[in-house]
Amino acid sequence: MTIQLGIIGFPIGHSLSPVFQQAALDHLKLAATYSTWEIDPVNLHSFIDSLRSSDIQGINVTVPHKESVLPFLDHVDEWARQAGAVNTIVNRCGELFGYNTDGIGFIKGLRHSHSFDLQNKTVLIIGAGGSARGVVRALANESVGNIIIANRTLSRAQSLSMLSMGLGVSAQAISLDWQELSQAAVQSELIVNCTSVGMAHTAEFGSSPLLCQQIPPNSVVYDLVYNPIETQMLREAARAGAAVISGIKMLVYQGAASFELWFDKPAPVDVMLESADKAIQDMSERPD
Ligand SMILES: NC(=O)c1ccc[n+]([C@@H]2O[C@H](COP(=O)([O-])OP(=O)(O)OC[C@H]3O[C@@H](n4cnc5c(N)ncnc54)[C@H](OP(=O)(O)O)[C@@H]3O)[C@@H](O)[C@H]2O)c1
């Protein structure tokens, strides 16, 4: 019997997960297919219920369903509950288990390129949406010393800083004011972009939340945006002399963690990274 896996979202056409998940399945010669299902929010509950009696062994969940899927599951693990979002579901004999692998993906993506110890470090997070929430949770788990959260909507940065403090990490919320952002950046060993600024096919493509002169040369700059792989923010950081990490690493590592939940065996991360890199390159060579 062919194992069925897939991803749900709305819309879903742009997702890279089918590319690198299928590459992993093929590499390990598993009789399994990874599909995409575009699920309108009004049909989410019935789709999730239908999983229980189906041959679908597991799914990934992406925008806009990560939060709304929680009440429809039988079990939700602690990380997913704290992040308030599920990105992986495992179907175990009709019982649905929800997990969130974004935090693990973020940390493993960081470790892939850099071995520095996060303990007691100061981290600047730009953005306060769903991904920033997962990043704060992951950083708290690594015992960072201080998190500065900068966001266009200050109230969202303030509520995320409350979450951080609830997890035992001191935090401050700031706006995107140039002066405040520059002062925050200068104190930070790690700078993470959790906004969509710089993303391909958006009005902010080619923009960066920070400019070269604001980035300390001894910092690591991690952009969660993965299309393009080399965003304007990573260009600014490289020009400043900082180390850079593309969001493609997090994307693949969170998918690898999902794969390991479904199959209980190590995912072929190098194969997944290679296929994701190639898919992005193919996309950037294609006209809109
Ligand atoms: N690499 C990965 O595995 C991975 C995983 C998750 C997400 N991502 C990427 O991370 C980005 C954010 O995702 P998300 O799920 O956190 O989205 P989200 O929940 O919608 O949050 C979006 C964030 O971006 C900010 N923002 C949007 N447009 C902006 C602009 N023009 N100027 C300044 N700030 C702006 C928002 O600020 P306001 O609060 O003021 O609206 C908010 O903080 C996306 O590009 C997504 O593709 C990557």
Side-chain angles (χ1 to χ4, degrees), residues 208-249:
S208 170
L210 281 181
L211 297 183
C212 166
Q213 58 270 37
Q214 295 174 289
I215 300 173
N218 55 350
S219 62
V220 174
V221 175
Y222 196 164
D223 196 344
L224 263 50
V225 173
Y226 53 81
N227 186 10
I229 289 181
E230 195 191 1
T231 59
Q232 186 59 31
M233 185 182 192
L234 295 186
R235 287 207 186 99
E236 300 281 342
R239 209 173 301 144
V244 298
I245 307 175
S246 162
I248 197 80
K249 299 276 193 303

Short mmCIF file of all heavy atoms in Angstrom, two decimals, residues 208-249:
data_model
loop_
_atom_site.label_atom_id
_atom_site.label_comp_id
_atom_site.label_asym_id
_atom_site.label_seq_id
_atom_site.Cartn_x
_atom_site.Cartn_y
_atom_site.Cartn_z
N SER A 208 14.86 45.59 2.79
CA SER A 208 15.45 44.92 3.94
C SER A 208 15.02 45.63 5.22
O SER A 208 14.98 46.86 5.25
CB SER A 208 16.99 44.97 3.84
OG SER A 208 17.55 44.53 5.06
N PRO A 209 14.70 44.90 6.29
CA PRO A 209 14.32 45.56 7.54
C PRO A 209 15.49 46.29 8.20
O PRO A 209 15.27 47.16 9.04
CB PRO A 209 13.86 44.42 8.44
CG PRO A 209 13.94 43.17 7.65
CD PRO A 209 14.66 43.43 6.39
N LEU A 210 16.74 45.94 7.83
CA LEU A 210 17.92 46.62 8.39
C LEU A 210 18.88 46.92 7.25
O LEU A 210 18.99 46.14 6.30
CB LEU A 210 18.67 45.71 9.37
CG LEU A 210 18.17 45.52 10.79
CD1 LEU A 210 19.12 44.60 11.53
CD2 LEU A 210 18.04 46.84 11.53
N LEU A 211 19.63 48.01 7.40
CA LEU A 211 20.64 48.33 6.38
C LEU A 211 22.02 48.00 6.91
O LEU A 211 22.23 47.86 8.12
CB LEU A 211 20.53 49.80 5.97
CG LEU A 211 19.22 50.18 5.30
CD1 LEU A 211 19.22 51.63 4.86
CD2 LEU A 211 18.90 49.26 4.12
N CYS A 212 22.94 47.89 5.96
CA CYS A 212 24.33 47.50 6.24
C CYS A 212 24.93 48.23 7.45
O CYS A 212 25.51 47.61 8.34
CB CYS A 212 25.09 47.78 4.95
SG CYS A 212 26.82 47.78 5.07
N GLN A 213 24.73 49.57 7.50
CA GLN A 213 25.36 50.37 8.57
C GLN A 213 24.75 50.10 9.95
O GLN A 213 25.32 50.52 10.96
CB GLN A 213 25.34 51.86 8.22
CG GLN A 213 24.00 52.49 7.97
CD GLN A 213 23.57 52.42 6.50
OE1 GLN A 213 23.83 51.44 5.81
NE2 GLN A 213 22.91 53.47 6.02
N GLN A 214 23.60 49.40 10.00
CA GLN A 214 22.98 49.10 11.30
C GLN A 214 23.40 47.72 11.83
O GLN A 214 23.06 47.36 12.95
CB GLN A 214 21.44 49.10 11.15
CG GLN A 214 20.85 50.44 10.79
CD GLN A 214 19.35 50.31 10.53
OE1 GLN A 214 18.93 49.75 9.54
NE2 GLN A 214 18.56 50.81 11.45
N ILE A 215 24.09 46.95 11.00
CA ILE A 215 24.36 45.54 11.36
C ILE A 215 25.78 45.38 11.89
O ILE A 215 26.75 45.70 11.19
CB ILE A 215 24.14 44.63 10.12
CG1 ILE A 215 22.69 44.77 9.63
CG2 ILE A 215 24.48 43.18 10.44
CD1 ILE A 215 22.38 44.07 8.31
N PRO A 216 25.94 44.88 13.13
CA PRO A 216 27.30 44.70 13.65
C PRO A 216 28.05 43.58 12.89
O PRO A 216 27.46 42.54 12.61
CB PRO A 216 27.10 44.29 15.11
CG PRO A 216 25.65 44.32 15.38
CD PRO A 216 24.90 44.51 14.10
N PRO A 217 29.33 43.79 12.58
CA PRO A 217 30.07 42.80 11.78
C PRO A 217 30.25 41.46 12.49
O PRO A 217 30.44 40.45 11.83
CB PRO A 217 31.43 43.48 11.54
CG PRO A 217 31.48 44.65 12.43
CD PRO A 217 30.09 44.99 12.87
N ASN A 218 30.18 41.47 13.83
CA ASN A 218 30.39 40.20 14.56
C ASN A 218 29.08 39.47 14.84
O ASN A 218 29.04 38.54 15.64
CB ASN A 218 31.14 40.48 15.87
CG ASN A 218 30.41 41.50 16.72
OD1 ASN A 218 29.46 42.14 16.24
ND2 ASN A 218 30.83 41.64 17.96
N SER A 219 27.99 39.90 14.20
CA SER A 219 26.69 39.26 14.47
C SER A 219 26.39 38.18 13.44
O SER A 219 27.06 38.07 12.41
CB SER A 219 25.57 40.30 14.45
OG SER A 219 25.49 40.89 13.17
N VAL A 220 25.37 37.36 13.77
CA VAL A 220 24.84 36.39 12.81
C VAL A 220 23.45 36.89 12.41
O VAL A 220 22.64 37.23 13.29
CB VAL A 220 24.73 34.99 13.45
CG1 VAL A 220 24.04 34.02 12.50
CG2 VAL A 220 26.11 34.46 13.83
N VAL A 221 23.18 36.96 11.12
CA VAL A 221 21.88 37.44 10.64
C VAL A 221 21.15 36.28 9.95
O VAL A 221 21.68 35.67 9.02
CB VAL A 221 22.06 38.65 9.69
CG1 VAL A 221 20.72 39.06 9.09
CG2 VAL A 221 22.69 39.81 10.44
N TYR A 222 19.96 35.99 10.45
CA TYR A 222 19.17 34.83 10.01
C TYR A 222 17.87 35.38 9.44
O TYR A 222 17.09 36.01 10.15
CB TYR A 222 18.90 33.98 11.26
CG TYR A 222 18.43 32.55 11.10
CD1 TYR A 222 18.51 31.68 12.20
CD2 TYR A 222 17.88 32.04 9.93
CE1 TYR A 222 18.09 30.36 12.12
CE2 TYR A 222 17.46 30.71 9.85
CZ TYR A 222 17.56 29.89 10.95
OH TYR A 222 17.13 28.58 10.88
N ASP A 223 17.66 35.19 8.15
CA ASP A 223 16.44 35.69 7.51
C ASP A 223 15.49 34.51 7.29
O ASP A 223 15.82 33.59 6.55
CB ASP A 223 16.78 36.36 6.17
CG ASP A 223 15.64 37.22 5.66
OD1 ASP A 223 14.50 37.06 6.16
OD2 ASP A 223 15.87 38.05 4.77
N LEU A 224 14.31 34.54 7.92
CA LEU A 224 13.36 33.43 7.73
C LEU A 224 12.79 33.40 6.32
O LEU A 224 12.32 32.35 5.86
CB LEU A 224 12.23 33.51 8.77
CG LEU A 224 12.41 32.63 10.01
CD1 LEU A 224 13.76 32.80 10.65
CD2 LEU A 224 11.32 32.87 11.02
N VAL A 225 12.84 34.53 5.62
CA VAL A 225 12.40 34.53 4.23
C VAL A 225 13.35 33.63 3.43
O VAL A 225 14.56 33.74 3.58
CB VAL A 225 12.41 35.97 3.66
CG1 VAL A 225 12.12 35.97 2.16
CG2 VAL A 225 11.41 36.85 4.40
N TYR A 226 12.78 32.71 2.63
CA TYR A 226 13.64 31.76 1.91
C TYR A 226 13.55 31.88 0.39
O TYR A 226 14.24 31.19 -0.34
CB TYR A 226 13.34 30.31 2.33
CG TYR A 226 11.89 29.93 2.22
CD1 TYR A 226 11.33 29.55 1.00
CD2 TYR A 226 11.06 29.96 3.33
CE1 TYR A 226 9.99 29.22 0.90
CE2 TYR A 226 9.71 29.63 3.24
CZ TYR A 226 9.20 29.26 2.02
OH TYR A 226 7.87 28.94 1.93
N ASN A 227 12.68 32.77 -0.08
CA ASN A 227 12.61 33.01 -1.52
C ASN A 227 12.64 34.51 -1.77
O ASN A 227 11.67 35.18 -1.44
CB ASN A 227 11.32 32.40 -2.10
CG ASN A 227 11.27 32.50 -3.61
OD1 ASN A 227 12.27 32.85 -4.24
ND2 ASN A 227 10.12 32.21 -4.18
N PRO A 228 13.77 35.06 -2.25
CA PRO A 228 14.95 34.37 -2.75
C PRO A 228 15.84 33.83 -1.62
O PRO A 228 15.72 34.29 -0.47
CB PRO A 228 15.69 35.47 -3.51
CG PRO A 228 15.34 36.71 -2.77
CD PRO A 228 13.92 36.52 -2.31
N ILE A 229 16.75 32.93 -1.96
CA ILE A 229 17.67 32.41 -0.93
C ILE A 229 18.56 33.55 -0.41
O ILE A 229 18.75 33.69 0.79
CB ILE A 229 18.50 31.24 -1.50
CG1 ILE A 229 17.58 30.03 -1.68
CG2 ILE A 229 19.67 30.90 -0.58
CD1 ILE A 229 18.21 28.79 -2.19
N GLU A 230 19.07 34.37 -1.34
CA GLU A 230 19.87 35.52 -0.90
C GLU A 230 19.00 36.76 -0.92
O GLU A 230 18.81 37.41 -1.95
CB GLU A 230 21.08 35.71 -1.82
CG GLU A 230 22.11 36.61 -1.19
CD GLU A 230 23.20 37.03 -2.17
OE1 GLU A 230 23.13 36.64 -3.34
OE2 GLU A 230 24.07 37.78 -1.75
N THR A 231 18.40 37.07 0.24
CA THR A 231 17.50 38.23 0.33
C THR A 231 18.34 39.51 0.41
O THR A 231 19.55 39.47 0.67
CB THR A 231 16.64 38.14 1.60
OG1 THR A 231 17.53 38.08 2.72
CG2 THR A 231 15.74 36.92 1.58
N GLN A 232 17.64 40.64 0.27
CA GLN A 232 18.35 41.92 0.41
C GLN A 232 18.93 42.06 1.82
O GLN A 232 20.04 42.57 2.00
CB GLN A 232 17.39 43.08 0.11
CG GLN A 232 18.04 44.46 0.09
CD GLN A 232 19.16 44.57 -0.94
OE1 GLN A 232 19.12 43.92 -2.00
NE2 GLN A 232 20.16 45.38 -0.64
N MET A 233 18.23 41.54 2.84
CA MET A 233 18.75 41.63 4.21
C MET A 233 20.06 40.85 4.34
O MET A 233 21.02 41.31 4.97
CB MET A 233 17.74 41.09 5.20
CG MET A 233 18.21 41.28 6.64
SD MET A 233 17.04 40.60 7.78
CE MET A 233 17.62 41.26 9.32
N LEU A 234 20.12 39.68 3.72
CA LEU A 234 21.37 38.90 3.80
C LEU A 234 22.48 39.59 3.02
O LEU A 234 23.65 39.52 3.41
CB LEU A 234 21.13 37.47 3.31
CG LEU A 234 20.16 36.63 4.17
CD1 LEU A 234 20.12 35.18 3.69
CD2 LEU A 234 20.52 36.67 5.66
N ARG A 235 22.13 40.29 1.94
CA ARG A 235 23.16 41.06 1.20
C ARG A 235 23.70 42.19 2.08
O ARG A 235 24.90 42.41 2.13
CB ARG A 235 22.55 41.70 -0.06
CG ARG A 235 22.28 40.71 -1.14
CD ARG A 235 22.34 41.41 -2.51
NE ARG A 235 21.95 40.44 -3.50
CZ ARG A 235 20.73 40.35 -4.02
NH1 ARG A 235 19.81 41.22 -3.72
NH2 ARG A 235 20.45 39.41 -4.89
N GLU A 236 22.78 42.89 2.77
CA GLU A 236 23.20 44.00 3.65
C GLU A 236 24.12 43.45 4.76
O GLU A 236 25.14 44.05 5.10
CB GLU A 236 21.99 44.68 4.30
CG GLU A 236 21.00 45.29 3.33
CD GLU A 236 21.40 46.65 2.76
OE1 GLU A 236 22.28 47.29 3.34
OE2 GLU A 236 20.82 47.04 1.73
N ALA A 237 23.72 42.30 5.30
CA ALA A 237 24.49 41.70 6.40
C ALA A 237 25.88 41.27 5.92
O ALA A 237 26.88 41.49 6.62
CB ALA A 237 23.73 40.51 6.97
N ALA A 238 25.92 40.66 4.76
CA ALA A 238 27.22 40.20 4.23
C ALA A 238 28.12 41.41 3.97
O ALA A 238 29.32 41.37 4.26
CB ALA A 238 27.00 39.40 2.95
N ARG A 239 27.53 42.49 3.46
CA ARG A 239 28.31 43.72 3.22
C ARG A 239 28.86 44.27 4.54
O ARG A 239 29.95 44.82 4.58
CB ARG A 239 27.42 44.76 2.53
CG ARG A 239 28.19 45.72 1.65
CD ARG A 239 27.28 46.62 0.84
NE ARG A 239 26.36 45.91 -0.01
CZ ARG A 239 25.10 46.28 -0.27
NH1 ARG A 239 24.60 47.37 0.28
NH2 ARG A 239 24.34 45.57 -1.06
N ALA A 240 28.09 44.10 5.63
CA ALA A 240 28.55 44.58 6.95
C ALA A 240 29.62 43.67 7.54
O ALA A 240 30.22 44.00 8.55
CB ALA A 240 27.35 44.66 7.89
N GLY A 241 29.80 42.50 6.95
CA GLY A 241 30.79 41.55 7.47
C GLY A 241 30.20 40.52 8.41
O GLY A 241 30.92 39.74 9.04
N ALA A 242 28.86 40.51 8.55
CA ALA A 242 28.20 39.55 9.45
C ALA A 242 28.07 38.19 8.77
O ALA A 242 28.15 38.09 7.56
CB ALA A 242 26.81 40.08 9.82
N ALA A 243 27.85 37.16 9.61
CA ALA A 243 27.57 35.82 9.07
C ALA A 243 26.09 35.75 8.71
O ALA A 243 25.27 36.39 9.37
CB ALA A 243 27.91 34.77 10.11
N VAL A 244 25.75 34.99 7.67
CA VAL A 244 24.35 34.98 7.21
C VAL A 244 23.78 33.55 7.13
O VAL A 244 24.51 32.61 6.85
CB VAL A 244 24.20 35.66 5.83
CG1 VAL A 244 24.61 37.12 5.90
CG2 VAL A 244 24.97 34.92 4.75
N ILE A 245 22.47 33.44 7.39
CA ILE A 245 21.78 32.15 7.26
C ILE A 245 20.46 32.38 6.53
O ILE A 245 19.66 33.24 6.92
CB ILE A 245 21.46 31.52 8.64
CG1 ILE A 245 22.71 31.45 9.51
CG2 ILE A 245 20.85 30.14 8.46
CD1 ILE A 245 22.44 30.98 10.93
N SER A 246 20.23 31.59 5.49
CA SER A 246 18.97 31.70 4.73
C SER A 246 17.88 30.88 5.40
O SER A 246 18.14 29.81 5.96
CB SER A 246 19.19 31.18 3.31
OG SER A 246 17.94 30.89 2.71
N GLY A 247 16.63 31.36 5.28
CA GLY A 247 15.46 30.66 5.82
C GLY A 247 15.23 29.30 5.20
O GLY A 247 14.45 28.51 5.74
N ILE A 248 15.88 29.00 4.09
CA ILE A 248 15.71 27.68 3.47
C ILE A 248 16.15 26.57 4.44
O ILE A 248 15.61 25.47 4.44
CB ILE A 248 16.48 27.61 2.12
CG1 ILE A 248 15.99 26.43 1.27
CG2 ILE A 248 17.96 27.54 2.30
CD1 ILE A 248 14.74 26.68 0.55
N LYS A 249 17.13 26.89 5.28
CA LYS A 249 17.62 25.90 6.25
C LYS A 249 16.51 25.55 7.24
O LYS A 249 16.24 24.39 7.50
CB LYS A 249 18.84 26.43 7.01
CG LYS A 249 20.04 26.78 6.14
CD LYS A 249 20.86 25.55 5.86
CE LYS A 249 22.23 25.86 5.26
NZ LYS A 249 22.21 26.63 4.01
#
